Amino acid sequence: MSTETVTIQKLGAQGDGIAQGADGPIYVPFTLPGESVAIARVKSQGTLMSIAAASPDRREPHCRHFGPDGVNGTCGGCTLQHYADAPYRAFKRQLVIDALRSKGLTPEVDDIIAAHSGERRKVVFAARKTEKGTLIGFNQAESHHIVAIEECPIASSGIMSQLPAITAVAAALAVNAEAFRISVLEMPSGLDLAVDDVKSLSDKQRRSAIEMVLTLRGIARVSVNGEILVEPAKPMIDFGGVQVSPPPGAFTQATKQAEDAMAELVTTHVGKAKRIADLFAGSGTFSLRLARIGRVHAVEGEAKPLAALDYAARNTQGLKPVTIERRDLFRRPLMKQELKVYDAVVFDPPRAGAEFQCKELARSQVKKIVAVSCNPLTLARDLALLTEGGYRITKVTPIDQFLWTSHVEVVVALEK
């Protein structure tokens, strides 16, 4: 390990400051462009020791657990709390621009739709049983060390006010000292806790945990490794006026504000389409809203979210017909011939993107496409396939859903 002073030239795609060393780039977390900083260096990784000259864009973090001086270590949840709002948002928008340019795409990119503190309705805690009690918090960056938290400015007040109850559930389910995860989703009916990576519970421990949960207020459901343990209240989430009960641990957008912004962009571009395919449909985030516009065919690889979507569609008045299909779109994309019946297609894949599906879409005559993505790099690859097939990008909107991180959502509208 060596100690040296470097100048940060820019931020990398992960939010680390990048300085140029004699033998290549050096990555230094918690720094900003233009800053002169003293670092302890191991190969290409630098640890911030002190700041000789700070950027005018540097500000005090919102949370006591952030940064090199965080209490009990550094929470790994946020990476950019020290960045002022305007340059932070410009950085995230630029990530989208740069990703598109890497594939030769130069459409106009809208200003980013901002995220704000207290909006996150879904967080994933790390937990572990210790000699002093149950430890709950977030993993330190690139580490299995759990940083115990007392506050979290990104999470909703509904989640943070229930931290004692969440800790009590964790304590009841901790079989040994191994770490496990608790995904917490805030719903109108209460918190949905999906606990994963715990050992099998004995019958006695199961009964004890159920009895304990039933004494708590504000807990709608607790599941363990995908199996519902107890459900004091039906967990329901609202997708544009349609009530859905998603399966334990199912994918949902992390904030309602971002979901609503995405949905508005999706439905606006689809317009008055009569036949719509929603690919990677999940539990119906977009499908159920689109069913107010036209007939929807929802395609999803997992059975349980698809069943939740189907049940909601069949039990909601005022929707156009919704059909469902369980299908692995990575292995079996909808083919050109199958796509010819649709006026519009919406796709919202995982981070890997939808390469094979986009190859088929590029060959199709679908008039309108909306691409929703959480990964600008795979999105750019997919958009390049579509533009090569004759599609024109008409609107690109970045959305900040994961506040103070380098993650950015994007909604792109295309026309044939």
Side-chain angles (χ1 to χ4, degrees):
M1 179 183 294
S2 63
T3 303
E4 56 192 282
T5 298
V6 298
T7 299
I8 304 301
Q9 297 175 336
K10 62 180 181 179
L11 288 187
Q14 304 302 315
D16 292 344
I18 300 179
Q20 196 60 39
D23 51 355
I26 306 168
Y27 299 91
V28 189
F30 310 116
T31 59
L32 296 175
E35 292 188 327
S36 177
V37 297
I39 64 169
R41 177 184 172 190
V42 178
K43 298 182 178 179
S44 64
Q45 300 300 312
T47 299
L48 177 64
M49 307 300 289
S50 63
I51 301 173
S55 165
D57 294 328
R58 179 173 285 275
R59 69 173 182 191
E60 284 296 312
H62 291 253
C63 176
R64 76 184 78 176
H65 303 300
F66 175 81
D69 297 320
V71 175
N72 300 322
T74 302
C75 164
C78 298
T79 54
L80 291 165
Q81 272 194 34
H82 57 303
Y83 210 1
D85 288 343
Y88 158 74
R89 290 169 185 160
F91 161 71
K92 295 191 87 161
R93 175 176 176 268
Q94 192 64 42
L95 289 175
V96 178
I97 294 171
D98 291 345
L100 296 177
R101 282 180 180 168
S102 73
K103 294 297 182 180
L105 304 172
T106 57
E108 182 63 31
V109 176
D110 294 348
D111 288 339
I112 194 166
I113 295 176
H116 302 93
S117 60
E119 290 182 347
R120 283 283 291 275
R121 68 181 177 190
K122 186 172 187 177
V123 298
V124 181
F125 291 113
R128 186 164 57 83
K129 183 180 182 180
T130 73
E131 293 179 355
K132 297 180 179 180
T134 303
L135 175 64
I136 189 164
F138 297 114
N139 283 331
Q140 193 170 7
E142 299 182 12
S143 167
H144 294 298
H145 173 69
I146 299 173
V147 178
I149 62 163
E150 299 176 30
E151 64 177 327
C152 179
I154 64 168
S156 72
S157 59
I159 291 176
M160 294 312 297
S161 65
Q162 286 282 62
L163 194 57
I166 297 168
T167 304
V169 172
L173 298 175
V175 175
N176 52 32
E178 295 293 320
F180 56 96
R181 293 180 299 119
I182 307 178
S183 297
V184 182
L185 174 63
E186 182 185 21
M187 298 181 174
S189 54
L191 299 186
D192 184 17
L193 275 56
V195 182
D196 288 294
D197 302 329
V198 297
K199 298 291 184 181
S200 297
L201 304 177
S202 66
D203 289 343
K204 180 179 179 181
Q205 190 175 18
R206 182 183 294 268
R207 288 194 300 270
S208 176
I210 291 171
E211 291 171 3
M212 189 278 298
V213 171
L214 291 174
T215 67
L216 301 173
R217 284 189 174 186
I219 304 296
R221 176 172 67 186
V222 176
S223 62
V224 179
N225 299 328
E227 177 192 348
I228 296 173
L229 178 71
V230 59
E231 191 176 274
K234 193 68 176 174
M236 304 296 291
I237 194 165
D238 185 294
F239 290 153
V242 180
Q243 299 298 310
V244 181
S245 181
F251 173 81
T252 56
Q253 300 295 344
T255 79
K256 185 179 187 302
Q257 292 78 3
E259 180 189 290
D260 288 347
M262 289 183 225
E264 176 67 22
L265 290 162
V266 167
T267 54
T268 297
H269 184 58
V270 166
K272 297 181 179 179
K274 293 181 180 180
R275 294 291 302 273
I276 307 159
D278 182 20
L279 310 182
F280 307 96
S283 298
T285 304
F286 300 127
S287 296
L288 296 167
R289 289 173 166 99
L290 291 167
R292 298 192 186 280
I293 296 172
R295 298 172 66 95
V296 175
H297 185 55
V299 185
E300 165 60 39
E302 295 186 27
K304 290 182 179 179
L306 200 58
L309 186 166
D310 183 47
Y311 184 86
R314 288 188 287 105
N315 289 275
T316 303
Q317 292 184 336
L319 301 184
K320 301 288 196 300
V322 176
T323 54
I324 63 168
E325 180 182 0
R326 186 183 180 190
R327 183 165 174 168
D328 183 344
L329 290 166
F330 294 109
R331 295 177 181 270
R332 294 179 53 235
L334 264 66
M335 306 301 285
K336 175 185 175 181
Q337 284 297 105
E338 297 174 278
L339 291 164
K340 67 182 183 181
V341 299
Y342 301 110
D343 306 307
V345 170
V346 177
F347 66 91
D348 181 13
R351 291 187 62 80
E355 181 177 6
F356 295 121
Q357 184 60 71
C358 285
K359 287 180 178 178
E360 291 302 318
L361 280 166
R363 299 171 60 225
S364 78
Q365 295 302 316
V366 176
K367 295 175 183 177
K368 292 183 176 181
I369 294 176
V370 187
V372 183
S373 174
C374 61
N375 185 342
L377 292 174
T378 56
L379 173 65
R381 178 203 64 204
D382 294 347
L383 294 178
L385 292 170
L386 294 173
T387 56
E388 288 167 9
Y391 283 92
R392 177 173 61 92
I393 296 173
T394 61
K395 189 174 181 64
V396 181
T397 307
I399 299 168
D400 191 5
Q401 180 164 213
F402 296 92
L403 184 63
W404 298 318
T405 75
S406 59
H407 297 294
V408 58
E409 304 273 344
V410 194
V411 178
V412 181
L414 305 99
E415 293 181 1
K416 192 74 172 187

